[in-house]
Amino acid sequence: MRPRNGSVEPTTTAVTITRVNRRRGLFLSLPGLLAALLIAAGSAQAASAPTGLALNTAVGRSAPLESALVRPDPLRTGIAPRVATHAYDRIVVATGVAAEVAAPRFIVNGAGDVLDTSRVTIPEGKFGYLLKNPSKSGVFSDSMGFDRSSLDSSLRRHLVENFGDATPSEPMVGGGTKFSVTGSLTGPSGANWNITSVWGVDPNGLIRLITATP
Amino acid sequence: MTAPETSETTFVVNDHVIAVALDAHNAPRSLGVSISLDGLHLRSFEEPGWRLPGYGVAGREFYWWSARRLVVVPVDAPRELREFALDEDILCVFARGDSWLLVCETSIRLRDGATEVSRLEFPEVVTSARVEGDLIVVEDAGGVLRHIAVSSERLTVVDSPEH
């Protein structure tokens, strides 16, 4: 998996990270990814508290979430790798977390890249750049009708929605990598453009917007 | 991009007159660019309209670029236009011998004809570029200056960033 997130550090939880190569970066093991997804769902407390929260497994059995997280071999829970996100979704429903809050922290694309949405940031200066710079404002401000707030949420959503087709990461001068995603974006005015947003993954793990362009 | 809906600019390059007519009726969606040389229409282009074209002269060649295309116009016969398309906005173009150095919004690329020879990816958008001796100096939106050496084969950052 390529490094889209710098926040997944080796911890005492079931998260396991192994460096495979420069191109692919960090590899989040399947048990580790599952555990990370569960933690992201706000289940960290559930794992240590007697909430009775249960994890539905692929074989139709229910196992206490705590045991799923701490047992020596999480794979023996019968949870298939492809079920990770599915299982996570069920937990979201079970905990009653509102959909707005329950946006998954980790997004996995078909290439196996993992995006940690909690590390996504848009520097304040980017809003002025996209909304006021003469070569940008014609699209993002005049045509699409964005303001700072609507552009912020739209670009974050654009990243998540199009992460499945993200470009391969390229090394940046000074360290870190960058990738881009491309997809349709509709502004508050109703105008629709095909937009490419470019993101840098800094050495500290932040996923930082570099620019967006038609 | 803010521009009059139609405009025409005249350049004189080695006693040759080049006229560039712009039609910005559909900006920022698109920009019509029409090129004439010594009174003869050469070709019209439909370009991205969110960035105004740039222009340059190298030897006996006039060149211009839109957001996504570099077009080279030899002023002498046979006057066959050459063009290169990019997937990133072009900010500035320098001729380096037979190669072209394209400073883009977040990268710098060295092209030899249709082949990209080398590329550096920057962590921030570029705001300006200039030549100092044998080096290209690129400044980004964070105020970081990078000096880049250009050979026929590769681009190399020759010093650490400075503010």
Side-chain angles (χ1 to χ4, degrees):
Chain A
M1 299 180 191
R2 296 197 296 265
R4 302 295 197 224
N5 57 338
S7 66
V8 279
E9 303 293 341
T11 67
T12 55
T13 69
V15 178
T16 305
I17 298 175
T18 306
R19 185 172 296 278
V20 281
N21 58 40
R22 185 189 66 79
R23 183 75 169 183
R24 306 301 280 179
L26 301 178
F27 176 79
L28 191 60
S29 71
L30 293 174
L33 175 59
L34 174 62
L37 288 169
L38 295 173
I39 292 169
S43 59
Q45 301 92 328
S48 58
T51 61
L53 185 63
L55 171 67
N56 292 325
T57 68
V59 293
R61 295 185 296 111
S62 291
L65 179 60
E66 182 175 4
S67 66
L69 281 171
V70 301
R71 63 190 306 162
D73 181 4
L75 278 181
R76 298 192 68 178
T77 59
I79 301 171
R82 293 287 183 187
V83 183
T85 302
H86 180 64
Y88 165 73
D89 288 341
R90 290 186 181 186
I91 290 172
V92 170
V93 173
T95 54
V97 179
E100 185 75 15
V101 180
R105 175 178 169 184
F106 294 99
I107 308 291
V108 185
N109 68 13
D113 304 320
V114 179
L115 173 70
D116 181 352
T117 59
S118 74
R119 304 303 302 265
V120 174
T121 182
I122 301 180
E124 190 59 35
K126 294 302 175 188
F127 298 107
Y129 176 67
L130 296 174
L131 296 173
K132 293 187 168 50
N133 185 292
S135 64
K136 298 290 184 182
S137 61
V139 173
F140 291 100
S141 181
D142 300 341
S143 174
M144 303 183 82
F146 280 118
D147 58 16
R148 187 208 172 286
S149 175
S150 57
L151 184 59
D152 182 289
S153 58
S154 291
L155 287 174
R156 291 173 186 271
R157 188 169 59 250
H158 181 265
L159 170 61
V160 169
E161 290 177 350
N162 297 289
F163 184 69
D165 295 318
T167 62
S169 294
E170 299 287 347
M172 294 189 296
V173 171
T177 59
K178 70 198 291 189
F179 68 96
S180 63
V181 297
T182 300
S184 175
L185 187 66
T186 302
S189 70
N192 181 275
W193 288 73
N194 198 42
I195 296 293
T196 296
S197 57
V198 182
W199 302 82
V201 183
D202 291 333
N204 64 6
L206 277 182
I207 301 162
R208 174 179 50 84
L209 178 74
I210 297 176
T211 190
T213 188
Chain B
M1 185 189 80
T2 302
E5 291 201 338
T6 60
S7 65
E8 182 171 298
T9 305
T10 300
F11 302 87
V12 175
V13 181
N14 298 325
D15 296 332
H16 292 279
V17 178
I18 296 174
V20 180
L22 303 181
D23 180 351
H25 278 97
N26 293 321
R29 292 279 181 188
S30 67
L31 176 71
V33 181
S34 182
I35 307 294
S36 298
L37 174 60
D38 294 334
L40 297 174
H41 176 257
L42 293 181
R43 191 169 151 191
S44 295
F45 299 82
E46 192 75 11
E47 298 300 299
W50 55 83
R51 193 179 286 273
L52 284 168
Y55 309 97
V57 175
R60 301 192 67 79
E61 292 182 321
F62 169 81
Y63 60 95
W64 65 273
W65 64 91
S66 69
R68 298 297 168 86
R69 190 193 330 241
L70 168 65
V71 179
V72 181
V73 184
V75 295
D76 300 320
R79 296 178 173 177
E80 293 177 354
L81 275 60
R82 306 194 306 279
E83 57 182 288
F84 317 109
L86 270 75
D87 59 357
E88 187 182 11
D89 280 16
I90 306 169
L91 270 59
C92 193
V93 179
F94 300 98
R96 306 292 285 182
D98 293 332
S99 301
W100 294 95
L101 188 65
L102 298 106
V103 181
C104 299
E105 189 182 15
T106 70
S107 70
I108 184 168
R109 309 173 188 211
L110 181 65
R111 292 186 76 104
D112 184 1
T115 305
E116 184 174 292
V117 177
S118 182
R119 181 197 300 193
L120 294 175
E121 296 282 356
F122 297 121
E124 183 51 277
V125 293
V126 174
T127 53
S128 69
R130 63 181 186 273
V131 175
E132 286 185 5
D134 295 331
L135 303 176
I136 303 293
V137 182
V138 175
E139 182 169 6
D140 71 21
V144 175
L145 289 173
R146 291 185 173 87
H147 295 73
I148 298 164
V150 183
S151 72
S152 60
E153 297 179 345
R154 64 178 304 181
L155 302 167
T156 309
V157 178
V158 295
D159 61 1
S160 56
E162 59 186 71
H163 289 272

